[in-house]
Amino acid sequence: MPLVNKVIQSDLFLVESKDEASQLPISNEMTSFAFTHCNNHIKANLDQNTVISFPEKPINAWSLGNYQYVINAEYSATKDNQAAPSKYACRITYKNGDSIEGAADINNWSIDGISELKK
């Protein structure tokens, strides 16, 4: 156990990046890209006959640090003239680190999970 405690206290697993974690919701260029990519992922996984609309901004967005984000947002899906409002939480990671040049390209992101939230 002493070895484990030394490893935990060391900087062995420390990842340094310009993107710091925040316990408070944030809004910046990266959270905007994350929101867009999460929305596009939801659109791509719905029936073609479903009309979907998203607000301009998420309800909240948090940085977990090292370009990992949680987006909390809502959308409205209409199918057969039935509108159904929904909320979601999306965890998404930008894979290019401090080089944010490719942030608009979904291939530089990974969707780590999306959960539908009850209204």
Coordinates of all heavy atoms in Angstrom, one line a residue, residues 14-109:
L14 N -1.0 13.3 -13.8 CA -1.3 14.7 -14.1 C -1.2 15.0 -15.5 O -0.2 14.7 -16.2 CB -0.4 15.6 -13.3 CG -0.7 17.1 -13.4 CD1 -2.0 17.4 -12.9 CD2 0.4 17.9 -12.7
V15 N -2.3 15.5 -16.1 CA -2.3 15.9 -17.5 C -2.4 17.4 -17.5 O -3.3 18.0 -16.9 CB -3.5 15.3 -18.2 CG1 -3.5 15.8 -19.7 CG2 -3.4 13.8 -18.2
E16 N -1.4 18.1 -18.1 CA -1.4 19.5 -18.1 C -1.9 20.0 -19.5 O -1.5 19.5 -20.5 CB 0.0 20.1 -17.9 CG 0.4 19.9 -16.4 CD 1.7 20.7 -16.1 OE1 1.9 21.8 -16.7 OE2 2.5 20.2 -15.3
S17 N -2.9 20.9 -19.4 CA -3.4 21.5 -20.6 C -3.9 22.9 -20.3 O -4.0 23.3 -19.1 CB -4.6 20.7 -21.2 OG -5.7 20.8 -20.5
K18 N -4.2 23.7 -21.3 CA -4.7 25.0 -21.1 C -6.2 25.0 -20.7 O -6.7 26.0 -20.3 CB -4.5 25.8 -22.4 CG -3.1 26.1 -22.8 CD -3.0 26.9 -24.1 CE -1.5 27.0 -24.5 NZ -1.4 27.6 -25.8
D19 N -6.8 23.9 -20.9 CA -8.2 23.8 -20.5 C -8.4 23.2 -19.1 O -8.1 22.1 -18.8 CB -8.9 22.8 -21.5 CG -10.4 22.8 -21.2 OD1 -11.1 23.8 -21.3 OD2 -10.9 21.6 -21.0
E20 N -8.8 24.1 -18.2 CA -8.9 23.7 -16.8 C -10.4 23.4 -16.5 O -11.3 23.9 -17.0 CB -8.5 24.9 -15.9 CG -7.0 25.2 -16.1 CD -6.6 26.4 -15.1 OE1 -7.3 26.7 -14.2 OE2 -5.5 26.9 -15.4
A21 N -10.5 22.5 -15.5 CA -11.8 22.0 -15.1 C -12.5 23.2 -14.3 O -11.8 24.1 -13.7 CB -11.7 20.8 -14.1
S22 N -13.8 23.2 -14.3 CA -14.6 24.2 -13.7 C -15.8 23.6 -13.0 O -16.5 22.8 -13.7 CB -15.0 25.3 -14.6 OG -15.9 26.2 -14.0
Q23 N -16.1 23.9 -11.8 CA -17.3 23.4 -11.1 C -18.5 24.3 -11.5 O -19.6 23.8 -11.4 CB -17.1 23.4 -9.6 CG -16.1 22.4 -9.1 CD -16.0 22.4 -7.6 OE1 -16.6 23.2 -6.9 NE2 -15.2 21.5 -7.1
L24 N -18.2 25.4 -12.1 CA -19.3 26.3 -12.5 C -19.5 26.2 -14.0 O -18.6 25.9 -14.7 CB -18.9 27.8 -12.2 CG -18.7 28.1 -10.7 CD1 -18.2 29.5 -10.5 CD2 -20.0 27.9 -9.9
P25 N -20.7 26.4 -14.4 CA -21.0 26.3 -15.9 C -20.2 27.4 -16.6 O -19.9 28.5 -16.1 CB -22.5 26.6 -16.0 CG -23.1 26.3 -14.7 CD -22.0 26.6 -13.7
I26 N -19.7 27.1 -17.8 CA -18.9 28.0 -18.6 C -19.6 28.1 -20.0 O -20.4 27.3 -20.4 CB -17.5 27.5 -18.7 CG1 -17.3 26.2 -19.4 CG2 -16.8 27.5 -17.4 CD1 -15.9 25.8 -19.8
S27 N -19.1 29.1 -20.7 CA -19.5 29.3 -22.1 C -18.4 29.9 -22.9 O -17.9 31.0 -22.6 CB -20.8 30.2 -22.2 OG -21.1 30.4 -23.5
N28 N -17.8 29.1 -23.8 CA -16.7 29.6 -24.6 C -16.8 29.0 -26.0 O -17.7 28.2 -26.3 CB -15.4 29.4 -23.9 CG -15.1 28.0 -23.6 OD1 -15.5 27.1 -24.3 ND2 -14.4 27.7 -22.5
E29 N -15.8 29.2 -26.8 CA -15.8 28.7 -28.2 C -15.8 27.1 -28.2 O -16.5 26.5 -29.0 CB -14.5 29.2 -28.9 CG -14.5 28.8 -30.3 CD -13.3 29.3 -31.1 OE1 -12.2 29.6 -30.4 OE2 -13.4 29.5 -32.3
M30 N -15.1 26.5 -27.2 CA -15.0 25.0 -27.2 C -16.3 24.4 -26.7 O -16.8 23.4 -27.3 CB -13.9 24.6 -26.3 CG -12.5 24.9 -26.9 SD -12.2 24.2 -28.5 CE -11.9 22.5 -28.1
T31 N -17.0 25.1 -25.8 CA -18.3 24.5 -25.4 C -19.3 24.7 -26.5 O -20.2 23.9 -26.6 CB -18.8 25.2 -24.0 OG1 -18.9 26.6 -24.2 CG2 -17.9 24.8 -22.9
S32 N -19.2 25.7 -27.3 CA -20.1 26.0 -28.4 C -19.9 24.9 -29.5 O -20.9 24.3 -30.0 CB -19.8 27.3 -29.0 OG -20.6 27.5 -30.1
F33 N -18.6 24.5 -29.7 CA -18.4 23.4 -30.7 C -18.9 22.1 -30.1 O -19.5 21.3 -30.8 CB -16.9 23.3 -30.9 CG -16.3 24.3 -31.9 CD1 -15.2 25.1 -31.6 CD2 -16.8 24.4 -33.2 CE1 -14.7 26.0 -32.4 CE2 -16.3 25.3 -34.1 CZ -15.2 26.1 -33.7
A34 N -18.7 21.9 -28.8 CA -19.2 20.6 -28.2 C -20.7 20.5 -28.3 O -21.2 19.5 -28.6 CB -18.7 20.6 -26.7
F35 N -21.4 21.6 -28.0 CA -22.8 21.7 -28.1 C -23.3 21.3 -29.5 O -24.2 20.5 -29.7 CB -23.3 23.1 -27.7 CG -24.8 23.3 -27.8 CD1 -25.7 22.5 -27.2 CD2 -25.2 24.4 -28.6 CE1 -27.1 22.8 -27.3 CE2 -26.6 24.7 -28.7 CZ -27.5 23.9 -28.0
T36 N -22.7 21.9 -30.5 CA -23.0 21.7 -31.9 C -22.8 20.2 -32.2 O -23.7 19.6 -32.9 CB -22.2 22.6 -32.8 OG1 -22.5 23.9 -32.6 CG2 -22.5 22.2 -34.3
H37 N -21.7 19.6 -31.8 CA -21.4 18.2 -32.2 C -22.3 17.3 -31.4 O -22.8 16.3 -32.0 CB -19.9 17.9 -31.8 CG -18.9 18.6 -32.7 ND1 -19.1 18.7 -34.1 CD2 -17.8 19.3 -32.4 CE1 -18.1 19.4 -34.6 NE2 -17.3 19.7 -33.6
C38 N -22.7 17.6 -30.2 CA -23.7 16.7 -29.5 C -25.0 16.8 -30.2 O -25.7 15.8 -30.4 CB -23.8 17.2 -28.0 SG -22.4 16.8 -27.0
N39 N -25.5 18.0 -30.6 CA -26.7 18.2 -31.3 C -26.7 17.4 -32.6 O -27.7 16.7 -33.0 CB -27.0 19.6 -31.6 CG -27.3 20.4 -30.4 OD1 -27.6 19.9 -29.3 ND2 -27.3 21.7 -30.5
N40 N -25.6 17.5 -33.4 CA -25.5 16.7 -34.6 C -25.6 15.2 -34.4 O -26.2 14.5 -35.2 CB -24.3 17.1 -35.4 CG -24.4 18.5 -35.9 OD1 -25.5 19.1 -36.1 ND2 -23.2 19.1 -36.2
H41 N -25.0 14.8 -33.3 CA -25.0 13.3 -33.0 C -26.5 12.9 -32.7 O -26.9 11.8 -33.2 CB -24.1 13.1 -31.8 CG -24.1 11.6 -31.4 ND1 -23.3 10.7 -32.1 CD2 -24.7 10.9 -30.4 CE1 -23.5 9.5 -31.5 NE2 -24.3 9.6 -30.5
I42 N -27.2 13.7 -32.0 CA -28.6 13.4 -31.7 C -29.4 13.3 -33.0 O -30.2 12.4 -33.2 CB -29.2 14.4 -30.7 CG1 -28.6 14.1 -29.3 CG2 -30.7 14.3 -30.6 CD1 -29.0 15.1 -28.3
K43 N -29.2 14.4 -33.8 CA -29.9 14.4 -35.1 C -29.7 13.2 -36.0 O -30.6 12.6 -36.6 CB -29.5 15.6 -36.0 CG -30.2 16.9 -35.7 CD -29.8 17.9 -36.8 CE -29.7 19.3 -36.2 NZ -29.2 20.3 -37.1
A44 N -28.4 12.7 -36.0 CA -28.0 11.6 -36.8 C -28.6 10.3 -36.3 O -28.8 9.3 -37.1 CB -26.5 11.5 -36.9
N45 N -29.0 10.2 -35.1 CA -29.5 9.0 -34.5 C -31.1 9.0 -34.4 O -31.6 8.1 -33.8 CB -28.9 8.7 -33.1 CG -27.4 8.3 -33.3 OD1 -27.2 7.2 -33.8 ND2 -26.5 9.2 -32.9
L46 N -31.7 10.0 -34.9 CA -33.2 10.0 -34.9 C -33.7 9.6 -36.3 O -33.0 9.7 -37.3 CB -33.7 11.4 -34.6 CG -33.5 11.8 -33.1 CD1 -34.0 13.3 -33.0 CD2 -34.3 10.9 -32.2
D47 N -35.0 9.2 -36.3 CA -35.7 8.8 -37.5 C -35.7 10.0 -38.5 O -35.8 11.1 -38.1 CB -37.1 8.5 -37.1 CG -38.0 8.0 -38.2 OD1 -37.9 8.6 -39.3 OD2 -38.7 7.0 -38.0
Q48 N -35.5 9.6 -39.8 CA -35.5 10.7 -40.8 C -36.8 11.5 -40.9 O -36.8 12.6 -41.3 CB -35.3 10.1 -42.2 CG -33.9 9.5 -42.5 CD -33.8 9.0 -43.9 OE1 -34.8 8.5 -44.5 NE2 -32.6 9.0 -44.4
N49 N -37.9 10.9 -40.4 CA -39.2 11.6 -40.4 C -39.4 12.5 -39.2 O -40.4 13.1 -39.1 CB -40.3 10.6 -40.5 CG -40.3 9.8 -41.8 OD1 -39.9 10.4 -42.9 ND2 -40.6 8.6 -41.8
T50 N -38.4 12.6 -38.4 CA -38.5 13.4 -37.2 C -37.9 14.8 -37.5 O -36.7 14.9 -37.9 CB -37.8 12.8 -36.0 OG1 -38.4 11.5 -35.7 CG2 -37.9 13.6 -34.7
V51 N -38.6 15.9 -37.2 CA -38.1 17.2 -37.3 C -37.6 17.6 -35.9 O -38.3 17.5 -34.9 CB -39.2 18.2 -37.8 CG1 -38.7 19.6 -37.9 CG2 -39.7 17.7 -39.2
I52 N -36.4 18.1 -35.9 CA -35.8 18.4 -34.6 C -35.3 19.9 -34.6 O -34.8 20.4 -35.6 CB -34.6 17.4 -34.3 CG1 -34.1 17.6 -32.8 CG2 -33.5 17.6 -35.2 CD1 -33.3 16.5 -32.3
S53 N -35.5 20.5 -33.4 CA -35.0 21.9 -33.3 C -34.3 22.0 -31.9 O -34.7 21.4 -31.0 CB -36.1 22.9 -33.4 OG -37.1 22.7 -32.4
F54 N -33.2 22.8 -32.0 CA -32.4 23.0 -30.8 C -32.4 24.5 -30.5 O -32.4 25.3 -31.4 CB -30.9 22.6 -31.1 CG -30.8 21.1 -31.3 CD1 -30.8 20.6 -32.6 CD2 -30.6 20.2 -30.3 CE1 -30.6 19.2 -32.8 CE2 -30.5 18.9 -30.5 CZ -30.5 18.4 -31.8
P55 N -32.2 24.9 -29.2 CA -32.0 26.3 -28.9 C -30.6 26.8 -29.3 O -29.8 25.9 -29.7 CB -32.2 26.3 -27.4 CG -31.8 25.0 -26.9 CD -32.2 24.0 -28.1
E56 N -30.4 28.1 -29.2 CA -29.1 28.6 -29.6 C -28.0 28.2 -28.7 O -26.8 28.1 -29.1 CB -29.1 30.1 -29.7 CG -29.8 30.7 -30.9 CD -29.7 32.2 -30.9 OE1 -28.7 32.7 -30.5 OE2 -30.7 32.8 -31.4
K57 N -28.3 28.0 -27.4 CA -27.3 27.7 -26.4 C -27.7 26.5 -25.5 O -28.9 26.3 -25.4 CB -27.0 28.9 -25.6 CG -26.4 30.1 -26.3 CD -26.1 31.2 -25.4 CE -25.5 32.4 -26.1 NZ -25.1 33.5 -25.2
P58 N -26.8 25.8 -24.9 CA -27.2 24.8 -24.0 C -27.7 25.4 -22.7 O -27.5 26.6 -22.4 CB -25.9 24.0 -23.8 CG -24.8 25.0 -24.0 CD -25.3 25.9 -25.1
I59 N -28.4 24.6 -21.9 CA -28.8 25.0 -20.6 C -27.5 25.3 -19.7 O -27.4 26.4 -19.1 CB -29.7 23.9 -19.9 CG1 -30.9 23.7 -20.7 CG2 -30.0 24.3 -18.4 CD1 -31.7 22.5 -20.2
N60 N -26.6 24.4 -19.7 CA -25.3 24.5 -19.0 C -24.2 23.7 -19.8 O -24.6 22.8 -20.5 CB -25.4 24.0 -17.6 CG -26.2 24.9 -16.7 OD1 -25.9 26.1 -16.6 ND2 -27.1 24.4 -15.9
A61 N -23.0 24.1 -19.6 CA -21.9 23.4 -20.1 C -20.8 23.5 -19.1 O -20.5 24.6 -18.5 CB -21.4 24.0 -21.4
W62 N -20.1 22.4 -18.8 CA -19.0 22.3 -17.9 C -17.8 21.8 -18.5 O -17.8 20.9 -19.4 CB -19.3 21.4 -16.7 CG -20.5 21.9 -15.8 CD1 -20.4 22.8 -14.8 CD2 -21.8 21.6 -16.0 NE1 -21.7 23.0 -14.2 CE2 -22.6 22.3 -15.0 CE3 -22.6 20.8 -16.9 CZ2 -23.9 22.1 -14.8 CZ3 -23.9 20.7 -16.8 CH2 -24.6 21.4 -15.7
S63 N -16.6 22.3 -18.1 CA -15.3 21.7 -18.5 C -14.9 20.8 -17.4 O -14.8 21.2 -16.3 CB -14.3 22.8 -18.8 OG -13.0 22.2 -19.0
L64 N -14.5 19.6 -17.8 CA -14.0 18.6 -16.8 C -12.5 18.7 -16.8 O -11.8 18.0 -16.0 CB -14.4 17.2 -17.2 CG -15.9 16.9 -17.2 CD1 -16.2 15.5 -17.6 CD2 -16.6 17.3 -15.9
G65 N -11.9 19.6 -17.6 CA -10.5 19.7 -17.8 C -10.0 18.9 -18.9 O -10.6 17.9 -19.3
N66 N -8.8 19.2 -19.4 CA -8.2 18.5 -20.5 C -9.1 18.3 -21.7 O -9.2 17.2 -22.3 CB -7.6 17.1 -20.0 CG -6.6 16.6 -21.0 OD1 -5.9 17.3 -21.6 ND2 -6.5 15.3 -21.0
Y67 N -9.9 19.3 -22.0 CA -10.8 19.3 -23.2 C -11.9 18.2 -23.1 O -12.3 17.7 -24.2 CB -10.0 19.3 -24.5 CG -9.1 20.5 -24.6 CD1 -7.7 20.4 -24.2 CD2 -9.6 21.7 -25.0 CE1 -6.9 21.5 -24.2 CE2 -8.7 22.8 -25.0 CZ -7.4 22.7 -24.6 OH -6.6 23.8 -24.6
Q68 N -12.4 18.0 -21.9 CA -13.5 17.1 -21.8 C -14.7 17.9 -21.2 O -14.5 18.7 -20.3 CB -13.2 16.0 -20.7 CG -12.1 15.1 -21.2 CD -11.8 14.1 -20.1 OE1 -12.7 13.3 -19.7 NE2 -10.6 14.1 -19.6
Y69 N -15.8 17.8 -21.9 CA -17.0 18.6 -21.5 C -18.2 17.8 -21.3 O -18.4 16.7 -21.8 CB -17.3 19.6 -22.7 CG -16.1 20.4 -23.0 CD1 -15.2 20.1 -24.1 CD2 -15.8 21.6 -22.3 CE1 -14.1 20.8 -24.4 CE2 -14.6 22.4 -22.6 CZ -13.8 22.0 -23.6 OH -12.7 22.7 -23.9
V70 N -19.1 18.4 -20.4 CA -20.5 17.9 -20.3 C -21.4 19.0 -20.7 O -21.3 20.1 -20.2 CB -20.7 17.5 -18.8 CG1 -22.2 17.1 -18.6 CG2 -19.8 16.3 -18.4
I71 N -22.3 18.7 -21.6 CA -23.2 19.6 -22.2 C -24.6 19.2 -21.7 O -25.0 18.0 -21.9 CB -23.2 19.7 -23.7 CG1 -21.8 19.9 -24.2 CG2 -24.2 20.6 -24.2 CD1 -21.2 21.3 -23.8
N72 N -25.4 20.1 -21.1 CA -26.8 19.8 -20.7 C -27.6 20.7 -21.5 O -27.5 22.0 -21.5 CB -26.9 20.1 -19.2 CG -28.4 20.0 -18.7 OD1 -28.9 20.9 -18.1 ND2 -29.0 18.9 -19.1
A73 N -28.5 20.1 -22.3 CA -29.3 20.9 -23.3 C -30.7 20.3 -23.5 O -30.9 19.2 -23.0 CB -28.6 21.1 -24.6
E74 N -31.5 21.0 -24.2 CA -32.8 20.5 -24.6 C -33.0 20.6 -26.1 O -32.3 21.3 -26.8 CB -33.9 21.2 -23.8 CG -33.9 22.7 -23.9 CD -34.8 23.3 -22.8 OE1 -35.5 22.7 -22.1 OE2 -34.8 24.6 -22.8
Y75 N -34.0 19.9 -26.6 CA -34.4 20.0 -27.9 C -35.9 19.6 -28.1 O -36.5 19.0 -27.1 CB -33.5 19.1 -28.8 CG -33.6 17.6 -28.6 CD1 -34.6 16.8 -29.3 CD2 -32.8 17.0 -27.6 CE1 -34.7 15.5 -29.1 CE2 -32.9 15.6 -27.4 CZ -33.8 14.9 -28.1 OH -33.9 13.5 -27.9
S76 N -36.4 19.9 -29.2 CA -37.8 19.5 -29.5 C -37.8 18.6 -30.7 O -37.3 19.0 -31.8 CB -38.7 20.7 -29.7 OG -40.0 20.3 -30.0
A77 N -38.4 17.4 -30.6 CA -38.5 16.5 -31.7 C -40.0 16.4 -32.1 O -40.9 16.1 -31.2 CB -38.0 15.2 -31.3
T78 N -40.3 16.6 -33.4 CA -41.7 16.5 -33.9 C -41.8 15.4 -34.9 O -41.1 15.4 -35.9 CB -42.1 17.9 -34.5 OG1 -41.9 18.9 -33.6 CG2 -43.6 17.9 -34.9
K79 N -42.7 14.5 -34.6 CA -43.0 13.4 -35.6 C -44.5 13.2 -35.6 O -45.1 13.1 -34.6 CB -42.3 12.2 -35.1 CG -42.4 11.0 -36.1 CD -41.6 9.8 -35.7 CE -41.7 8.7 -36.7 NZ -40.9 7.6 -36.4
D80 N -45.0 13.1 -36.8 CA -46.5 12.9 -37.0 C -47.3 14.0 -36.3 O -48.2 13.7 -35.6 CB -46.9 11.5 -36.5 CG -46.2 10.4 -37.3 OD1 -45.9 10.6 -38.5 OD2 -45.9 9.3 -36.7
N81 N -46.8 15.2 -36.4 CA -47.4 16.4 -35.7 C -47.5 16.3 -34.2 O -48.3 17.0 -33.6 CB -48.8 16.6 -36.3 CG -48.8 17.0 -37.8 OD1 -47.9 17.7 -38.2 ND2 -49.8 16.6 -38.6
Q82 N -46.7 15.5 -33.6 CA -46.6 15.4 -32.2 C -45.2 15.9 -31.7 O -44.2 15.3 -32.1 CB -46.7 13.9 -31.7 CG -48.0 13.3 -32.0 CD -49.1 13.7 -31.1 OE1 -48.9 14.4 -30.1 NE2 -50.4 13.4 -31.4
A83 N -45.2 17.0 -31.0 CA -44.0 17.6 -30.5 C -43.6 17.0 -29.2 O -44.5 16.9 -28.3 CB -44.1 19.1 -30.4
A84 N -42.4 16.7 -29.0 CA -41.9 16.1 -27.7 C -40.7 16.8 -27.3 O -39.6 16.6 -27.9 CB -41.7 14.6 -27.9
P85 N -40.8 17.7 -26.3 CA -39.5 18.3 -25.8 C -38.7 17.3 -24.9 O -39.3 16.4 -24.3 CB -40.1 19.4 -24.9 CG -41.4 19.0 -24.5 CD -42.0 18.1 -25.6
S86 N -37.4 17.4 -25.1 CA -36.5 16.5 -24.3 C -35.3 17.2 -23.9 O -34.9 18.3 -24.4 CB -36.0 15.3 -25.2 OG -37.1 14.5 -25.6
K87 N -34.7 16.7 -22.8 CA -33.4 17.2 -22.4 C -32.3 16.1 -22.5 O -32.7 14.9 -22.4 CB -33.5 17.6 -20.9 CG -34.2 18.8 -20.6 CD -34.2 19.2 -19.2 CE -34.9 20.5 -18.9 NZ -34.8 20.9 -17.5
Y88 N -31.1 16.5 -22.6 CA -30.0 15.5 -22.7 C -28.8 16.0 -21.9 O -28.6 17.2 -21.7 CB -29.7 15.1 -24.1 CG -29.0 16.2 -24.9 CD1 -27.6 16.3 -24.8 CD2 -29.6 17.0 -25.7 CE1 -26.9 17.2 -25.6 CE2 -29.0 18.0 -26.5 CZ -27.6 18.1 -26.4 OH -26.9 19.0 -27.1
A89 N -27.9 15.1 -21.6 CA -26.6 15.4 -21.1 C -25.6 14.6 -22.0 O -25.8 13.5 -22.3 CB -26.4 14.9 -19.6
C90 N -24.6 15.3 -22.5 CA -23.7 14.7 -23.4 C -22.2 14.9 -22.9 O -21.9 16.1 -22.5 CB -23.8 15.5 -24.8 SG -22.6 15.0 -26.0
R91 N -21.5 13.9 -22.8 CA -20.1 14.0 -22.4 C -19.3 13.8 -23.7 O -19.5 12.8 -24.4 CB -19.7 12.9 -21.4 CG -18.2 13.1 -21.0 CD -17.9 12.3 -19.8 NE -16.5 12.5 -19.6 CZ -15.8 11.9 -18.6 NH1 -16.5 11.2 -17.7 NH2 -14.5 12.1 -18.4
I92 N -18.4 14.8 -24.0 CA -17.7 14.8 -25.2 C -16.3 15.3 -25.0 O -16.0 16.1 -24.1 CB -18.4 15.8 -26.2 CG1 -17.8 15.8 -27.6 CG2 -18.6 17.2 -25.6 CD1 -18.6 16.5 -28.7
T93 N -15.3 14.7 -25.7 CA -13.9 15.0 -25.5 C -13.3 15.5 -26.9 O -13.5 14.9 -27.9 CB -13.1 13.8 -25.1 OG1 -13.7 13.3 -23.8 CG2 -11.7 14.0 -24.8
Y94 N -12.5 16.6 -26.8 CA -11.7 17.0 -27.9 C -10.4 16.3 -27.9 O -9.7 16.4 -26.9 CB -11.6 18.6 -27.9 CG -10.8 19.1 -29.0 CD1 -11.3 19.0 -30.3 CD2 -9.6 19.8 -28.8 CE1 -10.5 19.6 -31.4 CE2 -8.9 20.3 -29.8 CZ -9.4 20.2 -31.1 OH -8.6 20.7 -32.2
K95 N -10.0 15.7 -29.0 CA -8.8 14.8 -29.0 C -7.5 15.5 -29.4 O -6.5 14.9 -29.3 CB -9.1 13.6 -29.9 CG -10.3 12.8 -29.5 CD -10.4 11.6 -30.4 CE -11.0 11.9 -31.7 NZ -11.4 10.7 -32.5
N96 N -7.6 16.8 -29.8 CA -6.3 17.4 -30.3 C -5.7 18.3 -29.2 O -4.8 19.1 -29.6 CB -6.6 18.2 -31.5 CG -6.8 17.3 -32.7 OD1 -6.7 16.1 -32.6 ND2 -7.1 17.9 -33.9
G97 N -6.1 18.2 -28.0 CA -5.4 18.9 -26.9 C -5.4 20.4 -27.1 O -6.5 21.0 -27.5
D98 N -4.3 21.1 -26.9 CA -4.2 22.5 -26.9 C -4.3 23.1 -28.3 O -4.5 24.3 -28.5 CB -3.0 23.0 -26.2 CG -3.0 22.8 -24.7 OD1 -4.1 22.7 -24.1 OD2 -1.9 22.7 -24.1
S99 N -4.2 22.3 -29.3 CA -4.3 22.8 -30.7 C -5.8 22.8 -31.1 O -6.4 21.7 -31.5 CB -3.6 21.9 -31.7 OG -3.8 22.2 -33.0
I100 N -6.5 23.9 -31.0 CA -7.9 24.0 -31.2 C -8.3 24.3 -32.7 O -9.5 24.6 -32.9 CB -8.6 24.9 -30.2 CG1 -8.1 26.4 -30.4 CG2 -8.4 24.4 -28.8 CD1 -8.9 27.4 -29.6
E101 N -7.3 24.3 -33.6 CA -7.6 24.6 -35.0 C -8.7 23.7 -35.6 O -9.5 24.1 -36.4 CB -6.3 24.5 -35.8 CG -5.3 25.5 -35.5 CD -4.0 25.3 -36.3 OE1 -4.0 24.4 -37.2 OE2 -3.0 25.9 -36.0
G102 N -8.7 22.4 -35.2 CA -9.6 21.5 -35.8 C -10.9 21.3 -35.0 O -11.6 20.2 -35.2
A103 N -11.2 22.2 -34.1 CA -12.4 22.0 -33.2 C -13.7 21.9 -34.0 O -14.7 21.3 -33.5 CB -12.4 23.1 -32.2
A104 N -13.8 22.5 -35.1 CA -15.1 22.4 -35.9 C -15.3 21.1 -36.6 O -16.4 20.7 -36.9 CB -15.1 23.5 -37.0
D105 N -14.2 20.3 -36.7 CA -14.3 18.9 -37.3 C -14.7 17.9 -36.3 O -13.9 17.6 -35.3 CB -13.0 18.6 -38.0 CG -13.0 17.3 -38.8 OD1 -14.0 16.6 -38.7 OD2 -11.9 17.1 -39.4
I106 N -15.8 17.2 -36.5 CA -16.3 16.2 -35.6 C -15.3 15.0 -35.5 O -15.2 14.3 -34.4 CB -17.7 15.6 -36.0 CG1 -18.3 14.7 -34.9 CG2 -17.6 15.0 -37.3 CD1 -18.4 15.2 -33.5
N107 N -14.5 14.8 -36.5 CA -13.5 13.7 -36.4 C -12.4 14.0 -35.3 O -11.7 13.0 -35.0 CB -12.8 13.5 -37.8 CG -13.8 13.0 -38.8 OD1 -14.6 12.1 -38.5 ND2 -13.8 13.6 -40.0
N108 N -12.3 15.2 -34.8 CA -11.4 15.5 -33.8 C -12.0 15.4 -32.4 O -11.4 15.8 -31.4 CB -10.8 16.9 -34.0 CG -10.0 17.0 -35.3 OD1 -9.3 16.0 -35.6 ND2 -10.0 18.1 -36.0
W109 N -13.2 14.9 -32.3 CA -14.0 14.8 -31.0 C -14.4 13.3 -30.9 O -14.5 12.6 -31.8 CB -15.2 15.6 -31.1 CG -15.0 17.1 -31.1 CD1 -14.6 17.9 -32.2 CD2 -15.0 18.0 -30.0 NE1 -14.5 19.2 -31.8 CE2 -14.7 19.3 -30.5 CE3 -15.3 17.9 -28.6 CZ2 -14.7 20.4 -29.7 CZ3 -15.3 19.0 -27.8 CH2 -15.0 20.2 -28.3

